[in-house]
Amino acid sequence: MSQVTLYHNPRCSKSRETYQLLRDKGIEPQVREYLKDIPSADELRELLAALGISARELLRTKEAEYMELGLNDTTLSDAAIIEAMVQCPKLIERPIAIRDGRARIGRPPESVLEIL
């Protein structure tokens, strides 16, 4: 089986649950702590394509920065939203599992099983 990469925040319970679920299935994912190893705008565009969603759908809307940065403005372009996520990576929804050009957000954690 090809490598699974997990965009992971060890402080997040859903991220920890997803990591453990993968391990329980015999998969040791390559962990990317995206708050420390921040993805570039290009990486986020690739991730969005793999997920098949818009940049807005990848935003964590309950973070204080969402309102502070005016990200509730529905006229913002994907490029503007992606740039906000690069500048403040905690706005990126998590966890995200990636394998062979396909990705799933682990909410619920079991959804990542779709790409295995």
Side-chain angles (χ1 to χ4, degrees):
M1 180 183 295
S2 59
Q3 180 67 50
V4 173
T5 299
L6 184 66
Y7 275 53
H8 179 58
N9 178 351
R11 296 184 65 206
C12 170
S13 63
K14 292 295 182 201
S15 198
R16 290 191 310 269
E17 288 173 29
T18 302
Y19 176 73
Q20 190 58 52
L21 175 65
L22 290 169
R23 294 195 72 210
D24 290 348
K25 295 287 183 185
I27 298 164
E28 188 62 47
Q30 176 182 353
V31 172
R32 178 164 183 181
E33 288 190 39
Y34 67 94
L35 294 176
K36 295 177 183 174
D37 181 11
I38 301 168
S40 68
D42 285 342
E43 288 174 308
L44 286 174
R45 280 189 280 279
E46 288 174 15
L47 186 57
L48 289 166
L51 287 163
I53 63 174
S54 70
R56 181 161 300 283
E57 292 172 280
L58 192 59
L59 277 173
R60 293 180 56 82
T61 59
K62 293 188 168 105
E63 297 294 340
E65 291 84 354
Y66 175 80
M67 292 302 286
E68 290 168 8
L69 296 172
L71 296 172
N72 59 331
D73 177 352
T74 58
T75 65
L76 288 175
S77 67
D78 272 5
I81 293 169
I82 288 168
E83 185 55 35
M85 287 189 275
V86 169
Q87 297 304 314
C88 184
K90 71 190 259 186
L91 288 166
I92 301 170
E93 187 59 88
R94 63 190 180 248
I96 304 168
I98 307 156
R99 179 175 167 252
D100 293 336
R102 297 175 57 211
R104 292 292 181 274
I105 297 172
R107 291 185 177 269
E110 294 76 20
S111 64
V112 302
L113 300 176
E114 296 171 12
I115 64 168
L116 302 181

